[in-house]
Amino acid sequence: GNSVTQMEGPVTLSEEAFLTINCTYTATGYPSLFWYVQYPGEGLQLLLKATKADDKGSNKGFEATYRKETTSFHLEKGSVQVSDSAVYFCALVQGGSEKLVFGKGTKLTVNP
Amino acid sequence: NAGVMQNPRHLVRRRGQEARLRCSPMKGHSHVYWYRQLPEEGLKFMVYLQKENIIDESGMPKERFSAEFPKEGPSILRIQQVVRGDSAAYFCASSPLRLEEQYFGPGTRLTVT
């Protein structure tokens, strides 16, 4: 079946540090890939997405590139801020399906 | 446009009681999805509903769990005779059309004592 594996947290960084959160997936066919962010006390928000191989999703300084050859969708940001502290979820959806398949989430804490 | 609303935000039930979780989708959205997040786990799909219809309930436990989305009013996820293993965060999402982006609510955290 489809699955998503993302790096274990928690991740703690200093402000302005470089962020990478690894995400790999297993799926049949060509899924769409997503990163969601959950701020404390809130629901999940879509951060960025990519729908086909080599697509790059980007938003708020975050980027992720759909790599079919390595089945990966790693999240990166060049300079994190305290306000980026949240839990980040990698997810996929198979074409024609409504079911999002999520990784376990990675908690990020950014210290000033 | 208000986002997806869920209530209550926190719910405590004793073993054997019933839990009712409510989800009001965004205005204009007629597709509702329920997900469950167990401790230390990612969100897992439970059920997909459109108005008055269950479209896909492949993620729902076979017993004690049911969901509805009536013509009027919120979607309801009902858990009968709760057990400690039902303690989790339950998230609702909605979308305007099938296969469109899902917008998530803040979740209901159920604790079974």
Side-chain angles (χ1 to χ4, degrees), chain B residues 36-91:
Chain B
R36 177 166 67 173
Q37 184 181 27
L38 293 168
E40 309 300 323
E41 296 289 326
L43 281 75
K44 297 278 197 296
F45 170 83
M46 299 182 76
V47 62
Y48 161 43
L49 310 103
Q50 291 181 42
K51 285 283 186 181
E52 300 184 277
N53 289 300
I54 297 174
I55 307 302
D56 184 343
E57 56 182 347
S58 58
M60 287 279 270
K62 294 289 186 280
E63 297 178 347
R64 301 188 296 109
F65 284 71
S66 62
E68 62 177 14
F69 188 18
K71 187 176 180 181
E72 300 291 336
S75 175
I76 306 286
L77 179 67
R78 183 181 176 208
I79 312 172
Q80 294 179 289
Q81 300 173 341
V82 296
V83 301
R84 288 223 171 98
D86 296 333
S87 295
Y90 292 82
F91 290 93

Side-chain angles (χ1 to χ4, degrees), chain A residues 50-100:
Chain A
T51 56
K52 61 183 187 298
D54 300 324
D55 266 2
K56 178 186 282 189
S58 61
N59 186 24
K60 299 182 181 179
F62 291 89
E63 293 183 342
T65 301
Y66 189 142
R67 301 283 187 203
K68 180 171 169 287
E69 63 276 12
T70 54
T71 61
S72 65
F73 193 54
H74 304 321
L75 182 68
E76 296 182 336
K77 186 173 186 182
S79 175
V80 293
Q81 305 300 313
V82 172
S83 57
D84 294 326
S85 297
V87 180
Y88 291 83
F89 293 91
C90 185
L92 67 81
V93 70
Q94 197 68 51
S97 171
E98 302 82 12
K99 301 176 199 177
L100 283 162

